[in-house]
Amino acid sequence: MGTYTFGAIDIGSNAIRLLINTVEEYPDQVEFKKTAFLRVPIRLGEDVFTRGEISPEKRERTCEAMEGFAHIMKAYGVQDYRAYATSAMREAANGTAITDYIREKSGVTIEIISGQVEADTIYANGLVDMLAADKTYLYVDVGGGSTEVIVYSDRSKVDARSFALGTVRMLSDAVDKDEMKKFKKWLAGIGKKYQPTAIIGSGGNINKVQKLLNKKDKENISRPELDMLYRYIKSFSFAERVHTMRLATYRADVIVPAMKIFLTVCTQCNIDEIIVPKMGLSDGIIRTLYTLHKADTTRPAPL
């Protein structure tokens, strides 16, 4: 038994996040407790999806964030971490050059991961323990550059797919014209084969939707509620969403395409319920680190 402290850095197309978790082992269970969380809305996707590479300005902002994260992890006594870069970084022509630059400046090593690795890491976040054995769920993670969908049936992953559909990509009008068709066709096939009963929603936007609907923590969202809120928010201009609805500037635009993606999943698979457990890629990274440390006796011992 012991206590571990792990860090997870998620470098997405819309924002960069740092999660620090304390993992406490007890005789009958293991608890993952959030110690710190920080979000920086840099929006790498704005550069990549329109120009094909990350600009010097956003390279420097990302590097400054990583330098800050490195100091914070040191202050918290983080024993191990992973920094995963997703859609924007893997599509950027200068993605590898950026990660090399950041490693030299900040000491933080960034791994540019594929959509499949992203989905597999999300799968590791422990959600399977929350699923009913006799139901099928679609885990839907909507990011700035991509949407990951994992199909759980009988508490096992039976399919997973990553689509180049994300909020920043949609706002930048940089979605391939056939991608939405592929998304809908695949979902229709999944709906027919597995008949999923609920969506497990992941991402900052669906978390915000839950708050806007005045839902309690982990209270489910119905499709009619989501559709109503989508139409309501869409009727406002960006400025009105910020000043009237009091949405943050980094949320006021991306929340609309995010809701559109979730509604598309609901429609294609005839799903009326969305579960919001507030877990995602960062949680999967933490779980993966814990598993690796338990399996490798050469790694540092717990505190």
Side-chain angles (χ1 to χ4, degrees):
M1 296 193 302
T3 301
Y4 298 84
T5 304
F6 296 126
I9 299 174
D10 174 6
I11 303 170
S13 303
N14 187 37
I16 297 174
R17 304 168 185 83
L18 168 66
L19 171 67
I20 297 176
N21 262 26
T22 299
V23 184
E24 297 181 350
E25 297 176 322
Y26 298 99
D28 58 341
Q29 66 179 339
V30 177
E31 292 188 7
F32 294 79
K33 298 180 179 180
K34 181 164 68 174
T35 306
F37 179 77
L38 184 63
R39 181 186 189 279
V40 185
I42 294 180
R43 289 205 175 176
L44 297 176
E46 284 182 338
D47 286 350
V48 177
F49 304 143
T50 56
R51 298 161 45 181
E53 64 179 18
I54 296 169
S55 65
E57 176 190 357
K58 293 203 173 182
R59 178 195 67 184
E60 292 305 316
R61 289 185 62 197
T62 303
C63 189
E64 288 171 358
M66 292 302 107
E67 290 174 342
F69 287 179
H71 287 299
I72 291 170
M73 288 193 293
K74 185 176 181 180
Y76 274 96
V78 168
Q79 295 162 263
D80 200 359
Y81 76 94
R82 290 290 185 277
Y84 283 175
T86 56
S87 184
M89 195 75 81
R90 64 176 170 249
E91 292 184 31
N94 58 345
T96 301
I98 295 289
T99 59
D100 290 344
Y101 178 84
I102 289 173
R103 184 175 62 252
E104 293 175 5
K105 294 286 186 177
S106 69
V108 175
T109 298
I110 298 170
E111 299 175 54
I112 302 176
I113 62 172
S114 66
Q116 187 58 55
V117 172
E118 186 173 356
D120 289 343
T121 305
I122 290 171
Y123 174 69
N125 68 16
L127 264 178
V128 68
D129 298 329
M130 302 167 54
L131 308 180
D134 59 344
K135 294 183 179 181
T136 297
Y137 303 84
L138 297 186
Y139 182 96
V140 182
D141 182 74
V142 178
S146 64
T147 293
E148 275 62 50
V149 184
I150 304 172
V151 186
Y152 291 97
S153 184
D154 295 327
R155 299 186 69 188
S156 298
K157 183 181 75 170
V158 296
D159 206 342
R161 188 72 63 90
S162 177
F163 293 90
L165 290 169
T167 57
V168 177
R169 192 188 297 271
M170 292 170 75
L171 289 172
S172 302
D173 196 24
V175 177
D176 184 279
K177 62 180 180 180
D178 293 325
E179 193 70 2
M180 183 60 80
K181 292 180 181 178
K182 293 177 183 177
F183 185 53
K184 290 181 178 180
K185 183 178 179 180
W186 183 80
L187 286 171
I190 291 296
K192 184 177 181 180
K193 183 176 181 180
Y194 295 103
Q195 299 179 340
T197 56
I199 292 170
I200 301 171
S202 175
N205 288 297
I206 198 66
N207 293 344
K208 186 62 177 179
V209 166
Q210 187 187 45
K211 290 181 180 179
L212 289 172
L213 289 170
N214 294 317
K215 297 284 185 177
K216 296 178 181 179
D217 191 34
K218 295 184 180 181
E219 186 178 355
N220 297 348
I221 298 169
S222 70
R223 175 164 46 164
E225 288 173 328
L226 178 62
D227 185 61
M228 175 198 66
L229 185 62
Y230 171 69
R231 295 174 187 277
Y232 178 72
I233 294 179
K234 193 178 178 182
S235 70
F236 288 89
S237 67
F238 174 81
E240 288 171 334
R241 292 173 203 161
V242 173
H243 298 296
T244 303
M245 297 188 67
R246 297 293 193 268
L247 291 177
T249 54
Y250 63 78
R251 184 69 63 202
D253 52 357
V254 294
I255 194 169
V256 172
M259 286 192 287
K260 181 178 180 179
I261 292 173
F262 279 109
L263 284 169
T264 298
V265 179
C266 288
T267 300
Q268 294 302 121
C269 295
N270 195 28
I271 296 173
D272 292 321
E273 184 179 36
I274 302 172
I275 303 166
V276 188
K278 297 183 180 178
M279 298 176 72
L281 179 64
S282 297
D283 300 278
I285 293 173
I286 297 292
R287 296 265 182 163
T288 299
L289 285 170
Y290 175 69
T291 300
L292 289 172
H293 274 256
K294 293 300 291 182
D296 188 350
T297 57
T298 65
R299 292 176 180 270
L303 299 176

